[in-house]
Amino acid sequence: MGKKIVFVTGANKGIGFGIAKHLGLSGWNVVIGARDEKRAAKAIDELKNQGVNVLGWVNIELKDLAGIELASNVMKENYQELTLLVNNAGIPGDMSVDSEHTEISAIRDTLDVNFIGTFALTKALIPLMAKNGGRIVNITVPSEISPYWHPLAYVASKAAQNAMMGVMAIEFQQNQTPVEIFSVHPGPTTTDLNGNMALPGFHDIDTVGQKFAELINDGRSHQGEFIELYPIVKED
C-alpha cells in the first residue's frame, strides 16, 4: 500500500485538531475537513509548523447533503489512497436546557449534522475505503445515559451514530467488505463544544490526540468496538 492518508472532519480546532496533529506526527498524511477556509488555513499552518504533513483541506458542511457529495468527490479524485476516515465534526445542540425544554428544531438540527451528515459522508466514501482496505472511526459518546451529563439533542445524535457503526460493522463482516468501523469516546475533554469546561478528570486535546493515535497505530482490528480512551469516572 502507498502512503497513509487520513481525512479528519472538524480538524481545524478541538479534538479534531489534536487527532490530526498526533496522527500526523506518527506518520500519517493529513487531509483537513473544515467549514471555513481561514480557519482551515490557520490550522494547516499550525500543523505544518509542528511537523505534520498536511496534504490539503476539503470544504465540508455536514448539514449540506449536496456539499457532502461534492466533498466526497474531491476526496475520491484527489486522495485516492485514503485509508482512514475520522468522523469528528459535530455540533453540540442546546446543552443548556433539559429535555422538557429542548426545542424540536434543536433536535432536528443536531441529528442533521451529527447523524445524517456523518452517515452521508461515510456512505459516500465506503467504496473508496473498501478499495483500500480502510477504516472508519466515529468520535462519539456512550449510548448509556449518564446521570451527570445528558443533553438530549447531542446524546440522541451520538446514540444514532453508535447504532450506525454497529450495524455497518456487522454488515461489513457478513458481506466480506474489507472495511473496518468502530467508535471512540475521548472522555471528558476541554473544547469549545463544552465551553472549554475544565473540571477534575478532564483532559486536553493533546492528551486525547496522542492516545487516539496510539490506538489507530496499535496494529489490531477493532471492528464494531466502542472504545473509551478516558472513561467518565462515576461519582460515589
Side-chain angles (χ1 to χ4, degrees):
M1 175 144 333
K3 59 187 178 182
K4 300 187 298 183
I5 298 178
V6 57
F7 180 37
V8 184
T9 64
N12 58 290
K13 64 177 183 177
I15 290 173
F17 181 87
I19 287 172
K21 173 183 173 180
H22 287 279
L23 284 176
L25 293 176
S26 69
W28 285 83
N29 301 279
V30 177
V31 180
I32 299 293
R35 297 183 295 174
D36 182 271
E37 184 174 4
K38 289 184 179 179
R39 293 176 183 173
K42 181 176 182 292
I44 289 171
D45 285 344
E46 292 177 7
L47 289 169
K48 287 185 174 180
N49 287 338
Q50 296 183 64
V52 174
N53 184 27
V54 182
L55 301 179
W57 83 286
V58 174
N59 189 327
I60 186 164
E61 168 57 79
L62 289 176
K63 68 181 179 182
D64 177 7
L65 294 180
I68 289 172
E69 183 177 2
L70 290 174
S72 65
N73 287 337
V74 170
M75 293 301 302
K76 294 171 188 175
E77 292 170 8
N78 297 337
Y79 306 105
Q80 296 181 11
E81 293 178 285
L82 178 71
T83 54
L84 178 60
L85 167 64
V86 180
N87 286 317
N88 166 75
I91 62 173
D94 188 348
M95 293 188 172
S96 67
V97 296
D98 60 15
S99 57
E100 179 185 354
H101 299 96
T102 299
E103 298 291 339
I104 297 297
S105 59
I107 298 285
R108 182 178 291 114
D109 290 346
T110 309
L111 284 170
D112 279 347
V113 172
N114 295 0
F115 176 55
I116 301 297
T118 296
F119 171 73
L121 177 62
T122 301
K123 182 176 184 291
L125 291 178
I126 284 174
L128 180 59
M129 304 299 285
K131 177 184 174 183
N132 296 331
R135 290 177 289 173
I136 301 163
V137 185
N138 297 332
I139 304 302
T140 184
V141 299
S143 295
E144 178 185 358
I145 306 304
S146 165
Y148 314 115
W149 184 84
H150 42 256
L152 179 60
Y154 187 76
V155 171
S157 71
K158 291 298 185 175
Q161 203 178 93
N162 291 339
M164 178 194 86
M165 182 279 294
V167 170
M168 284 187 171
I170 290 173
E171 291 175 344
F172 289 158
Q173 291 176 307
Q174 291 175 336
N175 300 330
Q176 297 185 323
T177 304
V179 177
E180 181 181 327
I181 184 169
F182 58 99
S183 294
V184 171
H185 174 220
T189 309
T190 301
T191 68
D192 288 350
L193 186 140
N194 55 32
N196 292 306
M197 188 180 295
L199 299 174
F202 274 60
H203 298 87
D204 59 36
I205 61 171
D206 269 314
T207 301
V208 169
Q210 183 174 4
K211 193 159 186 177
F212 182 89
E214 291 171 358
L215 172 67
I216 293 300
N217 296 322
D218 69 6
R220 297 169 51 200
S221 172
H222 296 286
Q223 183 74 281
E225 294 182 8
F226 180 91
I227 299 168
E228 294 192 87
L229 297 184
Y230 292 101
I232 297 173
V233 177
K234 296 182 179 181
E235 298 178 7
D236 294 331

